[in-house]
Amino acid sequence: MKPPAFAYHDPGTVDEACRLMSTLDNARALAGGQSMMPMLNMRFVLPDHVVDLGRIASLAAIEEGQEALRIGAMVRQRDLEHSPVVARRCPLLVDAIQWVGHRQTRNRGTIGGSLCQLDPAAELPAVCAALDATLTVQSARGTRSMPFAEFPAGYMTPSLEPDELLTAIELPDWPQGHGHGFVEFARRHGDYAIVLAAALLAVDAGGRITRVSVTLGGIGPAPVRVRAVEQALVGQVAAAGLFREAAEACRGLEAMEDVHAPASYRQQLAVVMARRALDAALASLAPSRGTAH
Amino acid sequence: MDTTLSRTISLKVNGSAVQATVDVRHTLADFLRHQLELTGTHLGCEHGVCGACTVLVDGRSARGCLMLAVQAHGREVTTVEGLAGADGRLHPLQQAFKDHHGLQCGFCTPGMLTTLSELLADNPDPSEAQVRVAISGNLCRCTGYQSIVDATLAAAKSMRASGAAR
Ligand code: FES
Ligand code: FES
């Protein structure tokens, strides 16, 4: 249970990190280490070179754009949890972070690390799916951006080339005062969820839903946006009974099966979690927005 | 010396400046235990599950098995050995663990104490539920969490009282 021998590099800039990733053989990037270090300790990964991104200050910044928050890939989960800017512009992310690992792992774990690890039941990929995040990816060959929807290439596999680094995550704003909810079911607090759900809700002055986003995690290899539920809700007056009915569409989703739960159990949980996330989103709507209660 | 394989690092450990040459593949926990002989930091699982190895890095709790020693360069590390006062007086949490049967075999205790000292520094008056969430990443296999939670709430109370008296 000790890491294998490797050479260690801690570049101070993204350019230098990209140069190392493109010139070194069998190099792995190290972000917060909360998944990579266990894999090193257990020797599931055997890199010849480890490129630690922890000293690159530009990757650890949260920037306020005109219409989106731009979060550096190396921002620690703990810093997102306590950032007033994130709380104001992207409350769903704060809701979700409460469920990520434990205090000790959030202190080190990063948003970019979690996205690249891409565990099917992880919270942060679900937030990116819910918000239609845009990711920035850099290598010595250049910079490209992609919608989060194109990021998962398969089970725990991001669509990144071996020399590419995820550098930033852009989370587009929702209207001021929108509703947001994040719930999950796990056997113990801090475990990966069996199923999780994220919901976003915007309503007009009459309480009619103008925009809604419903995402499930833990169902398949990547987070799923449940368009059927979203389409059924737009234009309706937001109310708990409505959600109960609409969430039933989640039962028909294809669900994975593993040691934790059979597919039918996940489908049942999907219905319940989607409804609860929508209920939480409704409850969090700013009072001035007016709802159908 | 090939600086990609071993490095000389400078850091503060429990208030004292330390300089040491480390293999870059060694974890912070192994460095503390084997090179500095601070064996209060325990290793249960070595893959981030049990929390026994928790130390404070710049005041924030972190799993010592999930950090490389070389990453502690320039930082301030506090281990369980650094919680008591220089005069040997126990930290209020340590005293409360003793008084309330917060430990039995003591294996999980260093991680519990470091994690909870961070909690109480952030939040001097936590609810019972907040204490339970704070130690959700620390496994205890023998005491039972109830007395650990009791001890923490008692420590928080005594720290608030002595803080007010100051
Ligand atoms: S030894 Fe580090 S978490 Fe178990
Ligand atoms: S006191 Fe024995 S494991 Fe907690």
Side-chain angles (χ1 to χ4, degrees):
Chain A
M1 294 295 287
K2 309 291 177 195
F6 53 74
Y8 175 82
H9 311 265
D10 54 349
T13 64
V14 177
D15 285 346
E16 176 63 4
C18 288
R19 195 188 59 77
L20 290 167
M21 293 301 290
S22 72
T23 51
L24 299 172
D25 270 342
N26 189 23
R28 287 296 290 255
L30 176 62
Q34 303 305 288
S35 302
M36 182 60 87
M37 284 295 299
M39 293 196 298
L40 284 169
N41 288 354
M42 294 190 275
R43 302 197 177 187
F44 289 161
V45 290
L46 298 164
D48 290 315
H49 297 272
V50 168
V51 178
D52 185 353
L53 308 178
R55 294 199 190 269
I56 305 177
S58 66
L59 291 182
I62 301 175
E63 288 164 37
E64 291 208 70
Q66 283 293 311
E67 286 163 2
L69 261 190
R70 188 177 167 86
I71 299 176
M74 284 296 291
V75 173
R76 309 272 169 189
Q77 292 153 7
R78 163 71 177 259
D79 293 324
L80 295 172
E81 185 177 357
H82 294 284
S83 156
V85 171
V86 174
R88 182 161 44 79
R89 301 266 304 251
C90 190
L92 180 71
L93 182 52
V94 180
D95 297 343
I97 291 271
Q98 317 296 325
W99 299 92
V100 178
H102 309 281
R103 163 181 287 264
Q104 302 101 333
T105 61
R106 292 196 296 270
N107 279 340
R108 298 280 309 158
T110 62
I111 182 169
S114 170
L115 294 181
C116 291
Q117 181 68 13
L118 210 60
D119 189 283
E123 292 81 6
L124 299 180
V127 169
C128 288
L131 286 160
D132 295 311
T134 301
L135 308 185
T136 305
V137 169
Q138 213 171 316
S139 74
R141 295 173 286 120
T143 301
R144 64 184 176 118
S145 66
M146 71 173 114
F148 177 79
E150 290 169 16
F151 187 64
Y155 178 73
M156 296 187 83
T157 309
S159 47
L160 291 177
E161 297 300 324
D163 65 337
E164 284 184 318
L165 296 171
L166 171 63
T167 54
I169 298 95
E170 249 174 68
L171 302 173
D173 287 336
W174 270 57
Q176 192 74 45
H178 69 273
H180 48 92
F182 194 101
V183 295
E184 70 177 49
F185 183 81
R187 296 227 180 269
R188 295 167 302 188
H189 183 91
D191 283 5
Y192 279 117
I194 296 177
V195 171
L196 61 79
L200 292 159
L201 202 58
V203 299
D204 65 17
R208 219 166 273 284
I209 298 171
T210 53
R211 210 178 144 194
V212 57
S213 163
V214 178
T215 305
L216 291 169
I219 286 282
V224 195
R225 280 285 288 276
V226 200
R227 306 284 176 192
V229 176
E230 295 176 3
Q231 278 154 18
L233 290 175
V234 171
Q236 309 277 342
V237 174
L242 175 71
F243 296 156
R244 180 174 294 275
E245 207 176 297
E248 279 299 323
C250 298
R251 202 180 296 278
L253 293 170
E254 203 178 307
M256 59 183 183
E257 190 149 324
D258 61 14
V259 290
H260 301 296
S264 60
Y265 185 82
R266 284 198 158 83
Q267 287 161 332
Q268 167 65 25
L269 265 183
V271 174
V272 176
M273 291 298 117
R275 172 171 53 76
R276 287 190 191 164
L278 283 162
D279 285 345
L282 178 60
S284 74
L285 272 177
S288 63
R289 288 275 140 182
T291 63
H293 284 288
Chain B
M1 183 174 80
D2 182 349
T3 57
T4 64
L5 297 177
S6 75
R7 278 219 198 160
T8 300
I9 58 171
S10 318
L11 66 160
K12 261 194 174 167
V13 179
N14 298 332
S16 309
V18 170
Q19 203 176 59
T21 300
V22 298
D23 278 6
V24 296
R25 73 182 186 94
H26 282 174
T27 65
L28 175 60
D30 278 341
F31 165 68
L32 293 168
R33 289 178 55 84
H34 298 300
Q35 274 182 264
L36 302 188
E37 297 183 356
L38 292 170
T39 53
T41 299
H42 292 167
L43 283 162
C45 68
E46 295 184 90
H47 65 284
V49 175
C50 72
C53 64
T54 305
V55 296
L56 302 178
V57 179
D58 290 340
R60 288 181 168 198
S61 59
R63 295 192 180 321
C65 71
L66 298 189
M67 236 183 109
L68 298 168
V70 52
Q71 292 180 308
H73 174 67
R75 314 226 173 250
E76 260 191 80
V77 175
T78 306
T79 68
V80 67
E81 288 94 340
L83 292 183
D87 56 356
R89 249 181 63 163
L90 294 181
H91 183 283
L93 264 170
Q94 292 172 309
Q95 188 60 49
F97 266 56
K98 194 175 165 193
D99 297 343
H100 294 264
H101 195 77
L103 69 157
Q104 190 163 304
C105 77
F107 196 86
C108 68
T109 315
M112 291 284 180
L113 291 170
T114 46
T115 301
L116 290 166
S117 73
E118 182 198 31
L119 172 73
L120 296 187
D122 287 354
N123 178 2
D125 192 8
S127 66
E128 179 183 332
Q130 287 170 324
V131 172
R132 287 185 187 275
V133 169
I135 56 169
S136 64
N138 298 77
L139 301 182
C140 175
R141 297 291 78 164
C142 58
T143 301
Y145 300 99
Q146 188 58 52
S147 42
I148 293 173
V149 172
D150 291 347
T152 306
L153 294 172
K157 200 170 163 196
S158 82
M159 286 167 75
R160 289 199 305 276
S162 65
R166 249 180 250 137

